[in-house]
């Protein structure tokens, strides 16, 4: 995942084959991959995960998987925003529920919700409020990766 690969699809395929358990596709094995795809703005990885789970209804049947599903929904929203598929972007974002996010992931998810909401906001005052909220969170978290520049340009550069 750290760009030390010749073919990302082969790497992901080998990983997913290892984790096909009882002929069920388990979304929990893709949590970190989905989070890294969002952080790195890697639409190749996002697309692979989306394609892998396409038409897999069993991933939606277990309550314990709600956290994993919500990370998946958020990743899908970002992917479809990058690919400019507005209807799918909105569809997946509506499925996303922050209340299902585990405490240990709340900060990172908050970073990306602020980025997402800022990119969709049209009112200047609301955009400023969201940006200020991000700046406050940035200072609290002190993660160098999530700089103000990262926030401002997340959807403008890949």
């Amino acid at each position: 995942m750290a760009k030390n690969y010749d073919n990302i699809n082969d790497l992901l395929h080998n990983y997913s084959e290892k984790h096909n358990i009882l002929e069920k596709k388990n979304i929990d094995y893709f949590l970190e991959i989905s989070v890294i795809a969002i952080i790195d703005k890697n639409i190749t990885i996002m697309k692979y995960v989306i394609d892998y789970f396409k038409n897999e209804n069993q991933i939606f049947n277990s309550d314990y998987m709600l956290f994993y599903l919500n990370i998946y929904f958020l990743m899908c929203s970002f992917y479809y925003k990058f690919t400019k598929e507005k209807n799918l972007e909105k569809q997946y974002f509506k499925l996303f529920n922050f209340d299902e996010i585990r405490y240990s992931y709340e900060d990172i998810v908050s970073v990306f919700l602020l980025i997402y909401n800022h990119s969709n906001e049209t009112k200047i005052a609301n955009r400023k409020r969201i940006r200020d909220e991000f700046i406050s969170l940035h200072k609290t978290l002190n993660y160098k990766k999530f700089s103000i520049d990262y926030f401002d340009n997340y959807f403008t550069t890949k």
Side-chain angles (χ1 to χ4, degrees):
M1 293 299 145
K3 297 186 171 112
N4 295 329
Y5 49 79
D6 293 324
N7 186 325
I8 188 67
N9 285 322
D10 287 345
L11 180 68
L12 290 166
H13 178 72
N14 290 339
Y15 178 82
S16 58
E17 285 299 308
K18 275 189 203 176
H19 293 88
N20 268 342
I21 298 171
L22 302 175
E23 296 182 13
K24 279 183 111 174
K25 294 180 177 180
N26 294 311
I27 197 162
D28 44 335
Y29 290 114
F30 286 83
L31 172 65
E32 289 83 6
I33 290 173
S34 298
V35 171
I36 288 178
I38 296 169
I39 291 170
D40 197 37
K41 304 186 268 185
N42 191 320
I43 61 173
T44 302
I45 294 174
M46 291 179 194
K47 181 179 183 338
Y48 181 89
V49 174
I50 290 167
D51 289 347
Y52 184 74
F53 288 108
K54 204 164 256 183
N55 302 319
E56 293 295 333
N57 292 329
Q58 73 264 19
I59 69 168
F60 300 99
N61 292 334
S62 177
D63 285 345
Y64 100 93
M65 291 188 167
L66 289 175
F67 164 66
Y68 303 103
L69 283 171
N70 278 279
I71 295 294
Y72 173 78
F73 295 151
L74 185 63
M75 185 205 66
C76 289
S77 301
F78 275 64
Y79 174 77
Y80 291 120
K81 184 165 189 65
F82 276 122
T83 60
K84 301 186 184 335
E85 297 176 65
K86 199 72 167 160
N87 289 338
L88 287 170
E89 173 196 341
K90 288 179 182 180
Q91 175 186 335
Y92 278 97
F93 194 73
K94 281 182 185 177
L95 292 171
F96 175 78
N97 181 356
F98 187 79
D99 291 338
E100 297 297 338
I101 299 303
R102 291 187 181 157
Y103 177 76
S104 58
Y105 277 81
E106 284 181 357
D107 289 338
I108 188 85
V109 170
S110 293
V111 164
F112 289 101
L113 284 177
L114 289 169
I115 289 170
Y116 184 84
N117 290 334
H118 184 265
S119 72
N120 287 330
E121 183 56 59
T122 56
K123 294 181 181 173
I124 292 172
N126 290 342
R127 285 178 60 86
K128 182 183 177 342
R129 180 189 49 75
I130 294 168
R131 189 172 192 277
D132 289 346
E133 193 175 335
F134 176 84
I135 290 169
S136 176
L137 182 59
H138 168 70
K139 288 177 183 175
T140 301
L141 297 176
N142 199 26
Y143 294 154
K144 290 182 182 179
K145 173 74 173 176
F146 305 130
S147 66
I148 307 306
D149 187 57
Y150 181 85
F151 175 83
D152 287 339
N153 298 302
Y154 184 89
F155 286 109
T156 58
T157 60
K158 287 187 191 175

